Amino acid sequence: MLDIRFIKEHLDAVKENIKNRNMQADADETVRLFDKRTALTTTLQELQKKRNENASAIKQGLDDTKRAELVEVGKKLKEDIAQVEMELHAVETDLKEAALKIPNMAHPAAPIGKEDKDNLEIKRVGAVPVFDFQPKDHVQLGTELDLLDFEAGAKVAGVKFYYLKNEAVFLEQALTLYGLNILRKHGFTPFITPDIAKEEILTGVGFNPRGPESNLYNLAEDNLCLVGTAEITLGGYHSGEILRKDDLPLLYCGLSHCFRKEAGAAGQFSKGLYRVHQFSKLEMFVYCEPSQSETLHEKLRTIEEEIFIGLGIPFRVIETCTGDLGAPAYRKWDLEAWMPGRNGGEWGEVTSTSNCTDYQSRRLNVKYKDESGKNQYVHLLNGTAIAMSRALIAILENYQQKDGSVLVPEALRPLCGFDVIKAKSKN
């Protein structure tokens, strides 16, 4: 959430930012409600002052007539105060609802655009593989090598659920440990986080917990949701707290299952593991001072690059356009891995990292004490270390061999205990 005073003082810039992000929010209404709240608060304070003065006067030695007059005045003041309090509560509710819809301001470097086609490629890393055979996609490879079972997943849980089998199980576990070891080297504190969170935490982080546009699964009547990312649970970890300045930055990484409805996800670009309803992910999350956030955002991206360079997966870095940022992000980079089986060879997103400045911390009420002892909002950042399902796509498709086998990236071989995945012999 933006500071409402900032919205009022920079109204034209905020309205232009809403337009650039292709979002629906009413900054003018937010300012109108803010001014109305201020006026009602002033009126309430004046009425309360009069009530106190009237009560003091009643306590003085007065004749019965004068005392009766003041008692009637007190009754009227009580009614007026109750009316203003009711109006103020309604305005505050409407103001919060309006303000929560306004997105974070965008970084000046973010390209202006409506969707992912307007994103800007920053660089490419690694050589795209050239095959002397027709490469298969990960669904065909996973089926032929008995690694994936989408039919059983659909039978048991529904479409876009799946079973990992055989070497794929070890491969995912190896990816998890590989990522954790890299993050431990960079000073991250590891967590295994809850797979559910309260709706107020999701709202604070910037996710929509309910409604037709929500991408999340709700637990009926429990005010809880299955999380779509450990960003939610790591962001909620310090909600309502005042952190010590000397402890910042806090570098956390969380391993969790992720649950997403992925409504409307269909077609070639959502095939197989690319968009599923459940997957595992290792997420990075940072609490820091405002002066640290841009440098730490670079750090998160370079760690993501280190992970995929170590896996030998070619990728490109994307600067995300304003319309594709999402409401909380000030700036976001994506890593897109080369996926040979995706529409004859395409880039597909495997990680993203966002600097959300103080947008989430205002909603979650996470602060720190500065040098003068004043409470300030921290900056919050997040980044995907490894989304296991998409990393598996990239590995299977880039490391496939002519005989239908798949080599294991060297970095994972000591962790999973084999060098190659071959077709199972048929008895």
Side-chain angles (χ1 to χ4, degrees), residues 237-249:
Y237 190 77
H238 289 298
S239 61
E241 296 183 19
I242 299 174
L243 305 176
R244 282 171 22 96
K245 180 179 183 295
D246 292 345
D247 291 337
L248 300 177

Side-chain angles (χ1 to χ4, degrees), residues 39-45 47 78-90:
L40 285 169
T41 300
T42 301
T43 299
L44 180 61
Q45 290 170 345
L47 287 170
K78 183 179 180 180
E79 292 173 359
D80 291 345
I81 287 171
Q83 178 63 34
V84 173
E85 285 177 336
M86 185 172 64
E87 291 181 28
L88 181 58
H89 176 74

Side-chain angles (χ1 to χ4, degrees), residues 185-346:
K185 179 186 69 175
H186 286 285
F188 284 75
T189 300
F191 292 80
I192 293 178
T193 78
D195 287 338
I196 63 174
K198 297 177 180 177
E199 287 187 7
E200 56 261 36
I201 297 297
L202 277 85
T203 300
V205 176
F207 288 78
N208 177 15
R210 290 193 181 273
E213 284 125 18
S214 176
N215 196 28
L216 300 167
Y217 289 97
N218 299 292
L219 302 183
E221 300 179 1
D222 284 330
N223 191 37
L224 297 169
C225 295
L226 297 175
V227 300
T229 167
E231 174 192 350
I232 295 167
T233 41
L234 292 176
Y237 190 77
H238 289 298
S239 61
E241 296 183 19
I242 299 174
L243 305 176
R244 282 171 22 96
K245 180 179 183 295
D246 292 345
D247 291 337
L248 300 177
L250 295 172
L251 307 180
Y252 292 164
C253 63
L255 181 65
S256 76
H257 297 111
C258 304
F259 302 88
R260 301 182 184 181
K261 290 182 179 178
E262 298 292 6
Q268 171 67 22
F269 290 163
S270 300
K271 187 176 182 179
L273 291 174
Y274 194 78
R275 290 196 186 278
V276 287
H277 292 316
Q278 178 184 336
F279 59 97
S280 298
K281 180 157 71 84
L282 180 61
E283 181 80 2
M284 300 179 285
F285 199 88
V286 175
Y287 295 80
C288 69
E289 296 177 58
S291 62
Q292 301 170 321
S293 67
E294 294 217 42
T295 298
L296 287 166
H297 193 205
E298 291 270 0
K299 177 181 176 72
L300 294 186
R301 195 197 74 219
T302 58
I303 291 173
E304 292 175 344
E305 293 180 14
E306 177 184 348
I307 288 170
F308 280 85
I309 289 171
L311 291 173
I313 301 295
F315 63 86
R316 64 178 184 174
V317 179
I318 298 296
E319 176 92 45
T320 306
C321 74
T322 52
D324 203 32
L325 278 175
Y330 169 66
R331 191 179 196 184
K332 184 170 79 165
W333 289 298
D334 290 346
L335 259 61
E336 295 183 347
W338 181 252
M339 298 180 178
R342 180 181 167 94
N343 199 31
E346 292 273 359

